[in-house]
Amino acid sequence: MTLTELKHLYARQDLVEALVEPSINSGYIVEFRHRGGGLVPLTDITGSEQCYDDVDSATQQAFDVGFQQVRIADEY
């Protein structure tokens, strides 16, 4: 989901947690735990998962959605 779509879900209180974790390729991805279960990744408008070079950049995206705390997953 795009940043805008995720902001709407957050406003409706459908997202309960923000998570930054290492990408399979390189860098970091941002995912959000949905109230109904499962993880929703941050994507671009084409549906491709967004990847960030560092933890700080990825964390900022979760803050932009509205979260004040972000869980950082351990390296693989």
Side-chain angles (χ1 to χ4, degrees):
M1 295 194 128
T2 65
L3 189 63
T4 301
E5 292 169 324
L6 289 163
K7 286 179 179 181
H8 290 297
L9 288 179
Y10 181 82
R12 292 185 356 214
Q13 298 181 348
D14 285 337
L15 300 177
V16 296
E17 181 183 33
L19 172 66
V20 170
E21 61 183 12
S23 172
I24 294 171
N25 301 320
S26 65
Y28 295 88
I29 59 170
V30 187
E31 295 182 314
F32 300 88
R33 189 165 312 281
H34 193 276
R35 180 173 44 114
L39 293 173
V40 180
L42 173 60
T43 65
D44 61 19
I45 59 172
T46 66
S48 297
E49 197 168 65
Q50 293 286 84
C51 191
Y52 299 91
D53 292 332
D54 56 71
V55 171
D56 291 336
S57 297
T59 301
Q60 184 59 51
Q61 298 303 307
F63 291 155
D64 289 348
V65 168
F67 282 91
Q68 295 181 6
Q69 292 184 339
V70 178
R71 184 164 63 98
I72 310 296
D74 293 334
E75 297 282 337
Y76 289 112

